[in-house]
């Protein structure tokens, strides 16, 4: 009888111990996660009744780092960084739009400078870009801006400076004076004849919802439309010299440089680039 009673008491004791461990681990876990003082605290040791998986044992190495002399330095900077990130995210949540500069209003500094104009393009968007993949960042920026503008289905006059040197000179003349070093990055966008800016600004205007306002009133392209003249390449081989850049002048009996096409023996498509 005594033996049975003793066994029962042992079971009761084991049960109490397990309950204690469970409640203490629950308490510790809630204290760790919901502590008002600190966003993140690492427990002294993970409280699990079963062997903890390897991924959880990483806490030990972080704990060691915090306890070592070097760790005190690293630890504070680590916590500092976490706090900094939290404050950045909180401020973004509270006031998402105020952190982004807004386009021109009477009192704020203008986001867009409207002093530079591209005559004869008041009915469209003009993008100066390159189709050459030599500089990956430039190519990706050009591609991104073309995709953003394409999503609004507006009439876009695409001017590839790698296909036509005159475009490069044209762009240099319009915005080169603004840059003292005379280096113009690509892409560059003009809307309704007014200079807007490069990739970062277009992405920013798109994100805050200002880009569609600027594009309002520009003729739309039909869905799925592709130019019948050039297949949206914007250029065609010169019909005068067949793209060779030379033709035979019968009056003079000499081979002359073709004056109709560009340096690549191409002419602009008259259907989509008029």
């Amino acid at each position: 009888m005594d033996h049975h009673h003793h066994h029962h008491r042992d079971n009761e004791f084991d049960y109490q111990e397990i309950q204690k461990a469970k409640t203490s681990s629950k308490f510790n876990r809630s204290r760790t996660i919901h502590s008002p003082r600190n966003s993140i605290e690492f427990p002294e040791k993970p409280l699990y009744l079963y062997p903890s998986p390897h991924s959880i044992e990483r806490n030990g190495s972080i704990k060691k780092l915090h306890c070592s002399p070097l760790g005190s330095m690293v630890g504070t900077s680590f916590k500092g960084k976490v706090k900094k990130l939290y404050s950045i995210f909180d401020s973004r949540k509270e006031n998402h739009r105020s952190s982004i500069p807004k386009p021109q209003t009477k009192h704020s500094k203008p986001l867009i400078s409207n002093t530079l104009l591209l005559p004869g393009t008041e009915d469209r968007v003009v993008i100066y870009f390159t189709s050459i993949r030599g500089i990956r960042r430039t190519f990706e920026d050009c591609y991104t801006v073309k995709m953003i503008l394409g999503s609004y289905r507006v009439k876009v006059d695409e001017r590839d400076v790698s296909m036509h040197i005159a475009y490069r000179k044209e762009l240099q003349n319009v915005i080169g004076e603004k840059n003292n070093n005379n280096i113009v990055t690509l892409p560059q966008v003009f809307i309704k004849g007014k200079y807007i800016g490069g990739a970062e600004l277009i992405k920013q205007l798109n994100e805050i919802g200002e880009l569609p306002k600027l594009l309002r009133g520009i003729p739309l392209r039909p869905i799925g439309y592709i130019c019948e003249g050039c297949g949206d390449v914007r250029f065609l081989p010169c019909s005068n010299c067949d793209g060779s850049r030379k033709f035979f002048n019968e009056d003079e009996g000499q081979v002359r440089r073709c004056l109709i096409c560009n340096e690549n023996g191409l002419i602009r498509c008259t259907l989509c680039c008029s």
Side-chain angles (χ1 to χ4, degrees):
M1 185 73 179
D2 284 348
H3 176 71
H4 179 72
H5 183 68
H6 179 70
H7 184 67
H8 178 69
R9 210 168 42 191
D10 279 358
N11 280 357
E12 209 172 89
F13 177 74
D14 289 351
Y15 176 74
Q16 281 173 356
E17 284 301 302
I18 288 167
Q19 286 300 105
K20 244 188 246 173
K22 273 186 182 173
T23 51
S24 69
S25 72
K26 271 181 196 165
F27 171 72
N28 273 309
R29 204 174 294 163
S30 64
R31 185 176 61 78
T32 306
I33 295 163
H34 302 294
S35 164
R37 272 186 310 103
N38 232 335
S39 310
I40 291 174
E41 274 183 23
F42 296 102
E44 277 307 299
K45 60 183 175 185
L47 292 159
Y48 290 96
L49 297 175
Y50 302 104
S52 59
H54 292 295
S55 60
I56 292 160
E57 284 170 3
R58 280 192 207 148
N59 282 349
S61 63
I62 291 169
K63 186 191 76 177
K64 277 178 204 161
L65 183 70
H66 277 268
C67 297
S68 68
L70 174 71
S72 62
M73 283 195 298
V74 178
T76 51
S77 67
F78 180 79
K79 281 187 180 180
K81 274 180 188 171
V82 171
K83 276 184 182 173
K84 202 174 180 185
L85 282 172
Y86 265 83
S87 65
I88 288 166
F89 278 109
D90 286 343
S91 66
R92 274 193 187 173
K93 275 180 202 165
E94 286 164 22
N95 209 348
H96 177 62
R97 283 177 179 260
S98 69
S99 61
I100 302 166
K102 288 184 174 67
Q104 193 169 2
T105 60
K106 280 178 186 176
H107 303 292
S108 68
K109 199 179 172 187
L111 185 64
I112 300 160
S113 153
N114 285 338
T115 52
L116 303 172
L117 302 171
L118 190 65
T121 61
E122 290 76 15
D123 65 334
R124 70 191 83 168
V125 176
V126 176
I127 173 173
Y128 288 91
F129 73 103
T130 180
S131 56
I132 290 175
R133 294 168 184 254
I135 301 167
R136 188 175 170 185
R137 174 72 192 271
T138 303
F139 178 79
E140 284 174 357
D141 282 347
C142 291
Y143 179 79
T144 303
V145 170
K146 278 174 72 181
M147 291 300 286
I148 290 170
L149 295 171
S151 69
Y152 292 101
R153 282 179 46 222
V154 289
K155 185 180 178 183
V156 179
D157 185 344
E158 296 177 357
R159 302 190 175 184
D160 187 346
V161 299
S162 58
M163 296 271 270
H164 192 39
I165 203 165
Y167 286 157
R168 190 179 288 277
K169 289 174 182 169
E170 191 176 84
L171 182 62
Q172 202 86 36
N173 289 340
V174 177
I175 67 171
E177 297 153 15
K178 187 177 73 113
N179 300 338
N180 298 329
N181 55 6
N182 236 22
I183 294 167
V184 178
T185 57
L186 293 171
Q188 294 295 339
V189 176
F190 292 78
I191 297 176
K192 296 177 186 172
K194 293 174 183 174
Y195 175 61
I196 303 299
E200 288 309 311
L201 188 62
I202 295 296
K203 284 190 260 188
Q204 201 177 4
L205 290 169
N206 187 47
E207 278 169 25
I208 63 172
E210 289 296 324
L211 190 57
K213 293 176 190 173
L214 294 172
L215 297 172
R216 213 170 276 156
I218 294 173
L220 297 179
R221 278 168 64 120
I223 295 170
Y225 172 80
I226 292 171
C227 175
E228 290 170 11
C230 65
D232 281 356
V233 178
R234 313 290 177 217
F235 287 95
L236 291 165
C238 175
S239 54
N240 187 47
C241 65
D242 295 325
S244 68
R245 298 172 59 209
K246 291 172 184 165
F247 74 102
F248 184 72
N249 187 317
E250 288 176 1
D251 297 339
E252 295 176 8
Q254 286 181 342
V255 174
R256 291 281 181 195
R257 161 81 174 91
C258 179
L259 300 173
I260 295 168
C261 58
N262 70 7
E263 74 282 2
N264 295 314
L266 300 169
I267 55 165
R268 292 189 73 185
C269 174
T270 51
L271 284 179
C272 63
C273 297
S274 53

